[in-house]
């Protein structure tokens, strides 16, 4: 029956029709008793004689009526009028997701927001034993305030037992009885078990969810064909096209979640919507590849003590370590923390000895060089092992130690040194084994080693030494051989210069399996005692790392969290864990001419200096830690120590030559934006760079142009010139060239110092010419200033202390000019970047300070 405005349906007054579908007609109506507007869905009287349709309609009302969740449409009432049943729900203002998708894909951040809401709603329904079984964009409604509501539980399956039943009910999906082999759902979003007519449980909804999330990001359906048979074939046998074809900036972790949801076999999918929601929430702050920290310092987490080390800023305290935040680990009592070290400095790697009570760790106490120490879990004292300059890599069951000797920074977040072996008993010098090794771990029998080392442009995992298991363009951290020696777990970092990563496991044949989502910060990993899980420390957003466990099937669960940040070092056979609690600060120091004391210009927790104003009065920096927020923050501060001023979101780049504004790079969704922030009154503006993902922006001395280090979709990094007035950016180098340091552009604006695809340093003329080799410079240098005549450059190199040298561009002659180090050296693991002021006698530089305590943790389960 069709209802006209003004007519009544029970106590409800019809206002206007809203739509119609296979389950009935929907009207806007008023409830005069409560003075609110509602939606009324009416099953036409001609359909009410159909027992199957009537049962399905009643089933929708029963299913939705027992749910109370902000992401599920609320059901207020159910009734019947002139033989036509109806259901009353909340009235929603907005549009369906199908309507929202009519214009194409959604921004990644928006798609992830919607996906989390949908997953939460599904989890609430599944907890009540309700499976939707017809999830599709038409059944998802986006309200005007951005809330997603799941509609139409007309196909829901109530799994809970009825009072008169002997067990679980088996209500069909739009079929009569429980007849097998009958398909119901919407083509293109059905799970493989649905199209085969097999029983569908909550995992079927997860498959449909994966199809919808794919469509939100790709702008096209995951499974489609010219005919229904083609679509069914696609669902049963084919994988959706790679998301990089339509949306290259989709984060690898998000892509993995979608693939996991779309597994053909229900046993291999996410087993609950709650787990799915948890993984999506873990990605909510890192939804795109460009959202990973754009600087090496911003998200540092590594084993070594010389460069930035990942951990969060925070206030370390022994009391905080007893305070477990977040979800419980499944036991009544939280884990207990027993502190082992009390000195001021930084701890690198720590390992249990074969007896489970002896502990070997490396540390740099009170600003001294790194060296190994031996401790006992029952005592607070440690004794030096006796090899200054050595760092612990691993301890075998036979009591043999793998050391790194003379390690130095080989790439961001990684040290490379000479691998050496020595016995825990001591008494003899370490025996050198292999040069340029970043990480190492022993086999279970203690006879061989797994090592990670750079080879050419790749990073390679070898086990045993000489046999390549896997190699990557990114970097590999914290490799650990499994208890039975058949596989290796490691942290897989896709981007050099960033410690965002996933947990991966590789077998001896080189087959890699990723078993976690991508975390914003990750560092520290060990096998659980039974070898069924990998325990690791990571942070889904920011850098305050907690301890997680990942099963080999890909399910991640939290183990414990504390105030500040933890780094998992090792796990003993009895389940006790060895962790460091780390307090990180990335700060700024001014060493000004005529002053005998350094001036601390730090502001929040992770302040990275980027430039000094042309008049030498202000410093430009970014805060990229907890204080700076997910998108980072751009600040300026007077060198006189006056309070800092926040200009906006993004990563700071440089002052413009007039000193009245600055350049920054923001990552709001899937694209980077070059933003110009004024220092005084006025609005910021975006410099259009369509089609470019920008890594760095340098101001040209003419004040009319900027130099961009950027890449187009599907192409390599190169250098561009962009007019500040607008227009298209113009490339002037081939692909594979990047800038060498923060002041790579010459002071006269005619040339830029670059690193080529062969990792050699070249001078490149902006007017166009072949690159000119730059003698005396290496890709480990960073240009901090040019001489006025552009015939020499000042470069920074080294780490502690940071060295600044002048290099003649014609002869390559190098002359040390200055060494820079904070006056308080305790816990300082790296120094830089550095800027020289216009007077040539004053310096502003950054530093990384890690203060660590070592703890034994009992009760992790």
């Amino acid at each position: 029956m069709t209802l006209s405005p003004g007519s009544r349906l029970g106590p409800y007054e019809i206002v206007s029709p809203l739509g119609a579908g296979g389950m009935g007609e929907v009207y806007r109506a008023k409830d005069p008793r409560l003075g609110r507007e509602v939606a009324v869905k009416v099953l036409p009287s001609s359909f009410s004689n159909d027992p199957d349709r009537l049962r399905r309609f009643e089933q929708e009302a029963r299913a939705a009526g027992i749910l109370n969740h902000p992401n599920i449409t609320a059901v207020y009432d159910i009734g019947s009028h002139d033989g036509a049943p109806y259901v009353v729900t909340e009235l929603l203002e907005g549009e369906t997701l199908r309507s929202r998708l009519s214009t194409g894909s959604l921004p990644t951040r928006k798609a992830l927001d919607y996906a989390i809401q949908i997953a939460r709603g599904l989890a609430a329904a599944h907890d009540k034993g309700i499976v939707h079984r017809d999830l599709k964009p038409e059944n998802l409604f986006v309200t005007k305030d951005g809330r997603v509501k799941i509609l139409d539980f007309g196909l829901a399956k109530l799994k809970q037992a009825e009072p008169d039943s002997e067990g679980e009910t088996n209500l069909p999906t739009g079929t009569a009885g429980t007849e097998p082999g009958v398909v119901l759902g919407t083509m293109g979003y059905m799970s493989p078990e649905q199209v085969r007519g097999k029983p569908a449980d909550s995992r079927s909804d997860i498959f449909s969810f994966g199809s919808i999330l794919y469509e939100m990001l790709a702008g096209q359906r995951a499974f489609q064909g010219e005919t229904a048979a083609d679509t069914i074939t696609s669902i049963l046998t084919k994988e959706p096209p790679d998301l990089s074809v339509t949306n290259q900036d989709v984060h690898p972790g998000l892509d993995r979640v979608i693939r996991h949801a779309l597994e053909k076999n229900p046993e291999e999918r996410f087993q609950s919507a709650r787990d799915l929601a948890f993984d999506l929430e873990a990605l909510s702050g890192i939804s795109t590849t460009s959202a990973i920290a754009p600087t090496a310092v911003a998200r540092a987490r590594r084993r070594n003590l010389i460069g930035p080390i990942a951990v969060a800023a925070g206030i370390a305290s022994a009391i905080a370590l007893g305070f477990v935040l977040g979800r419980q680990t499944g036991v009544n009592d939280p884990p207990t923390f027993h502190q082992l070290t009390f000195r001021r400095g930084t701890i690198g790697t720590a390992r249990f000895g074969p007896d489970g009570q002896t502990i070997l760790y490396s540390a740099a106490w009170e600003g001294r060089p790194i060296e190994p120490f031996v401790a006992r879990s029952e005592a607070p004292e440690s004794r030096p092992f006796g090899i200054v300059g050595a760092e612990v890599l691993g301890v075998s069951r036979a009591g043999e130690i793998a050391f790194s000797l003379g390690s130095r920074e080989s790439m961001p977040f990684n040290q490379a040194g000479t691998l050496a072996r020595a016995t825990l008993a001591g008494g003899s010098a370490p025996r050198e084994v292999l040069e340029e090794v970043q990480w190492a771990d022993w086999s279970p029998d203690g006879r061989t080693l797994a090592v990670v080392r750079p080879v050419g442009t790749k990073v390679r995992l070898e086990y045993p030494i000489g046999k390549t298991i896997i190699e990557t363009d990114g970097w590999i951290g914290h490799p650990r051989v499994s208890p039975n020696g058949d596989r290796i777990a490691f942290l897989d970092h896709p981007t050099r210069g960033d410690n965002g990563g996933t947990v991966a496991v590789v077998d001896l044949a080189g087959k890699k399996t990723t078993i976690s989502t991508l975390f914003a910060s990750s560092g520290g990993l060990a096998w659980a005692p039974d070898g069924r899980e990998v325990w690791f420390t990571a942070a889904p957003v920011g850098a305050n790392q907690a301890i997680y466990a990942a099963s080999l099937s890909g399910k991640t669960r939290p183990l414990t969290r504390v105030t500040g940040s933890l780094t998992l070092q090792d796990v003993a056979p009895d389940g006790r864990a060895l962790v460091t609690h780390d307090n990180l600060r990335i700060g700024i120091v001014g060493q000004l001419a005529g002053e005998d004391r350094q001036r601390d210009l730090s502001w929040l927790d992770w302040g990275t200096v980027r430039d000094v104003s042309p008049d030498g009065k202000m410093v430009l920096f970014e805060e990229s830690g907890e204080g700076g927020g997910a998108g980072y923050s751009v600040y300026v501060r007077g060198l006189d120590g006056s309070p800092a001023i926040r200009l906006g979101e993004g990563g700071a780049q440089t002052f413009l030559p007039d000193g009245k504004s600055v350049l920054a790079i923001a990552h709001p969704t899937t694209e980077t934006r070059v933003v110009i922030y004024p220092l005084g009154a006025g609005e910021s503006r975006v410099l259009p760079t369509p089609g470019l993902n920008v890594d760095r922006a340098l101001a040209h001395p003419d004040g009319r142009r900027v130099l961009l280090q950027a890449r187009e979709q599907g192409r390599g990094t190169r250098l561009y010139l962009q007019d500040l007035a607008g227009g298209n950016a113009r490339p002037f180098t081939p692909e594979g060239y990047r800038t060498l340091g923060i002041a790579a552009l010459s002071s006269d604006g005619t040339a830029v110092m670059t690193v080529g695809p062969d990792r050699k340093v070249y001078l490149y003329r902006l007017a166009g010419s072949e690159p000119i080799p730059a003698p005396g410079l290496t890709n480990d240098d960073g240009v901090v200033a040019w001489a006025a005549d552009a015939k020499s450059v000042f470069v920074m190199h080294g780490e502690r202390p940071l060295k600044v040298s002048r290099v003649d561009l014609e002869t390559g002659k190098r002359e040390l000019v200055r060494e820079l180090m904070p006056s308080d050296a305790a816990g300082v693991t790296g120094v830089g970047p550095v800027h020289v002021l216009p007077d040539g006698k004053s310096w502003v530089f950054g530093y990384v300070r890690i203060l660590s305590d070592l703890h034994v943790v009992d009760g992790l389960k």
Side-chain angles (χ1 to χ4, degrees):
M1 81 182 155
T2 300
L3 301 175
S4 58
S7 61
R8 300 185 75 85
L9 193 69
Y12 304 100
E13 181 181 339
I14 301 299
V15 175
S16 62
L18 291 175
M23 287 302 298
E25 298 173 343
V26 186
Y27 297 87
R28 178 191 294 264
K30 289 183 179 179
D31 183 349
R33 299 167 300 177
L34 298 176
R36 67 180 175 187
E37 288 195 325
V38 296
V40 178
K41 179 181 286 188
V42 183
L43 187 65
S45 55
S46 59
F47 290 169
S48 64
N49 295 324
D50 183 334
D52 179 56
R53 282 186 180 272
L54 184 59
R55 180 169 42 78
R56 286 166 56 195
F57 185 85
E58 292 173 347
Q59 184 172 312
E60 174 184 358
R62 291 174 58 208
I66 65 174
L67 297 174
N68 180 20
H69 192 273
N71 298 119
I72 298 175
T73 308
V75 173
Y76 296 147
D77 192 12
I78 187 171
S80 179
H81 181 75
D82 292 340
Y86 63 84
V87 63
V88 183
T89 69
E90 64 178 314
L91 181 65
L92 302 175
E93 299 286 348
E95 61 182 338
T96 65
L97 182 59
R98 171 58 67 210
S99 176
R100 183 68 62 92
L101 290 173
S102 62
T103 57
S105 63
L106 303 181
T108 303
R109 187 167 61 180
K110 183 64 67 178
L112 187 55
D113 175 33
Y114 291 171
I116 290 171
Q117 294 188 58
I118 298 165
R120 288 171 179 165
L122 284 177
H126 294 169
D127 286 347
K128 296 288 187 179
I130 299 167
V131 181
H132 192 286
R133 297 211 287 181
D134 194 22
L135 203 63
K136 56 186 176 182
E138 290 82 356
N139 281 337
L140 297 167
F141 197 91
V142 183
T143 65
K144 290 183 176 179
D145 62 357
R147 187 177 296 280
V148 181
K149 298 276 189 174
I150 303 175
L151 310 176
D152 195 359
F153 274 87
L155 302 180
K157 174 182 176 182
L158 292 176
K159 295 196 298 183
Q160 60 205 47
E162 295 295 331
D164 58 349
S165 70
E166 295 181 358
E168 173 182 289
T169 63
N170 220 354
L171 295 180
T173 308
T175 67
T178 56
E179 181 179 359
V182 180
V183 174
L184 185 66
T186 300
M187 194 65 67
Y189 301 95
M190 291 187 292
S191 65
E193 55 269 29
Q194 277 183 295
V195 299
R196 288 190 174 103
K198 294 183 177 181
D201 57 20
S202 61
R203 295 170 297 182
S204 180
D205 281 351
I206 290 173
F207 187 94
S208 301
F209 170 92
S211 301
I212 295 167
L213 179 52
Y214 178 93
E215 187 171 346
M216 285 195 283
L217 293 167
Q220 64 185 41
R221 296 193 182 193
F223 306 102
Q224 57 185 344
E226 294 183 1
T227 66
D230 292 338
T231 301
I232 289 175
T233 300
S234 179
I235 291 171
L236 293 176
T237 64
K238 297 181 180 179
E239 296 295 330
D242 192 337
L243 276 170
S244 64
V245 174
T246 56
N247 192 341
Q248 191 176 30
D249 288 323
V250 170
H251 199 285
L254 185 53
D255 180 72
R256 181 189 170 276
V257 168
I258 295 171
R259 300 291 172 182
H260 193 26
L262 292 177
E263 292 285 358
K264 307 296 185 186
N265 183 353
E267 298 296 330
E268 296 178 1
R269 279 178 225 147
F270 285 99
Q271 296 301 292
S272 77
R274 196 163 301 283
D275 288 342
L276 174 59
F278 178 81
D279 278 8
L280 289 170
E281 288 162 0
L283 289 165
S284 60
I286 49 172
S287 58
T288 71
T289 52
S290 61
I292 303 177
T295 66
V297 175
R299 289 288 181 258
R301 184 25 145 189
R302 61 173 178 170
R303 170 198 87 244
N304 63 283
L305 301 177
I306 309 245
I309 299 185
V311 240
I315 299 175
S317 74
I319 296 176
L321 286 172
F323 236 21
V324 179
L325 306 178
R327 286 186 281 183
Q328 291 292 328
T329 60
V331 295
N332 293 328
D333 296 325
T336 58
F337 288 74
H338 173 59
Q339 188 169 342
L340 294 178
T341 61
F342 300 87
R343 298 175 67 177
R344 191 165 181 264
T346 311
I347 296 171
T349 305
R351 294 287 186 267
F352 283 109
D355 61 0
Q357 301 301 319
T358 301
I359 294 163
L360 192 74
Y361 68 91
S362 47
W365 296 129
E366 289 86 33
R368 296 185 179 89
I370 188 171
E371 63 176 310
F373 293 84
V374 180
R376 296 283 297 177
S377 59
E378 70 274 9
E381 290 83 15
S382 302
R383 64 173 177 83
F385 188 79
I387 309 175
V388 176
E391 185 174 0
V392 176
L393 295 179
V395 180
S396 75
R397 292 179 183 176
E400 192 170 8
I401 309 166
F403 285 114
S404 177
L405 305 179
S407 61
R408 58 174 181 78
E409 187 175 36
S410 61
M411 63 177 64
F413 319 138
N414 280 274
Q415 292 290 108
T418 299
L419 176 66
R421 301 168 62 160
T423 64
L424 186 58
S428 61
R431 179 172 62 86
E432 296 184 0
V433 177
L434 183 67
E435 294 181 345
E436 290 296 301
V437 173
Q438 295 174 336
W439 308 85
D441 189 46
W442 291 96
S443 62
D445 60 11
R447 296 180 180 178
T448 59
L449 284 158
V451 299
V452 173
R453 60 191 185 110
V455 179
T457 61
K458 303 286 187 179
V459 173
R460 183 178 296 173
L461 172 63
E462 299 177 0
Y463 180 66
I465 294 173
K467 178 186 177 182
T468 300
I469 299 296
I470 196 170
E471 63 180 15
T472 176
D473 292 320
W475 60 283
I476 294 170
H478 303 267
R480 301 301 297 270
V481 183
S482 63
N484 61 8
D486 65 340
R487 61 190 77 186
I488 302 170
F490 61 94
L491 290 172
D492 189 10
H493 302 276
T495 304
R496 297 190 186 185
D498 193 279
N499 74 315
T502 59
V503 180
V505 174
V506 61
D507 64 21
L508 303 189
K511 180 182 179 182
K512 186 184 82 170
T513 304
T514 301
I515 62 172
S516 81
T517 55
L518 183 66
F519 285 81
S521 295
S522 55
L525 176 149
W527 286 89
D530 61 7
R532 296 179 180 179
E533 289 183 319
V534 177
W535 292 2
F536 63 100
T537 34
V541 179
N544 279 335
Q545 296 188 155
I547 305 179
Y548 294 85
S551 68
L552 298 182
S553 63
K555 182 176 181 180
T556 302
R557 62 188 181 95
L559 292 180
T560 194
R561 180 178 289 114
V562 302
T563 301
S565 183
L566 298 176
T567 302
L568 180 66
Q569 300 286 349
D570 202 8
V571 176
D574 61 4
R576 288 175 302 125
L578 198 57
V579 303
T580 51
H581 185 240
D582 306 288
N583 179 14
L584 168 68
R585 185 177 182 87
I586 298 177
I588 304 170
V589 166
Q591 194 161 313
L592 308 182
E595 296 186 358
D596 56 1
R597 297 182 62 184
Q598 293 178 346
R599 182 174 295 181
D600 192 341
L601 299 172
S602 307
W603 188 243
L604 300 179
D605 54 345
W606 282 22
T608 304
V609 59
R610 292 300 178 195
D611 199 8
V612 173
S613 61
D615 61 7
K617 294 182 178 180
M618 288 188 295
V619 59
L620 171 69
F621 63 98
E622 71 191 36
E623 289 285 351
S624 55
E626 300 301 314
Y632 312 154
S633 294
V634 180
Y635 283 89
V636 290
R637 188 180 190 186
L639 292 180
D640 59 0
S642 54
I645 300 172
R646 184 180 186 273
L647 301 180
E649 179 181 295
Q653 296 295 299
T654 185
F655 283 95
L656 290 178
D658 62 5
K660 297 179 180 179
S661 52
V662 304
L663 288 175
I665 296 176
H667 299 254
T669 53
T670 60
E671 294 182 353
T672 56
R673 299 187 306 177
V674 179
V675 184
I676 302 173
Y677 288 117
L679 298 183
E683 296 294 325
S684 63
R685 69 182 180 93
V686 174
L687 180 64
T689 55
L692 290 183
N693 193 333
V694 182
D695 299 322
R696 178 171 289 176
L698 303 177
H700 194 278
D702 65 10
R704 297 182 290 105
R705 296 176 291 173
V706 293
L707 183 148
L708 304 177
Q709 178 178 293
R711 62 186 182 278
E712 301 172 57
Q713 183 173 339
R715 306 194 67 174
T717 298
R718 63 198 306 190
L719 303 183
Y720 298 76
L721 280 175
Q722 169 78 54
D723 291 336
L724 286 173
N728 293 327
R730 303 178 299 280
F732 67 90
T733 72
E735 293 180 32
Y737 283 82
R738 60 178 177 82
T739 59
L740 182 73
I742 52 182
L745 186 60
S746 64
S747 52
D748 61 7
T750 62
V752 60
M753 200 64 69
T754 67
V755 178
D758 58 0
R759 301 177 64 82
K760 295 181 180 179
V761 179
Y762 297 93
L763 186 68
Y764 224 109
R765 300 289 180 186
L766 272 63
S769 66
E770 291 298 316
I772 304 169
L777 293 175
T778 74
N779 63 356
D780 291 329
D781 293 320
V783 178
V784 299
W786 287 69
D789 59 6
K791 293 182 178 180
S792 60
V793 292
F794 294 90
V795 298
M796 62 180 186
H797 52 98
E799 294 159 338
R800 286 193 318 165
L802 182 74
K803 296 177 177 61
V804 179
S805 296
R806 180 171 183 153
V807 180
D808 188 297
L809 295 181
E810 293 182 359
T811 65
K813 181 181 178 181
R814 181 180 292 244
E815 177 188 3
L816 181 64
V817 175
R818 194 76 178 252
E819 291 189 349
L820 299 171
M821 184 77 177
S823 54
D824 178 7
V828 172
T829 64
V831 182
V834 63
H835 294 264
V836 60
L837 272 62
D839 63 11
K841 300 177 181 179
S842 302
W843 307 79
V844 176
F845 60 92
Y847 66 89
V848 180
R849 189 191 307 277
I850 309 289
L851 298 176
S852 307
D853 298 314
L854 185 63
H855 297 255
V856 173
V857 185
D858 199 3
L860 293 175
K861 296 181 180 179

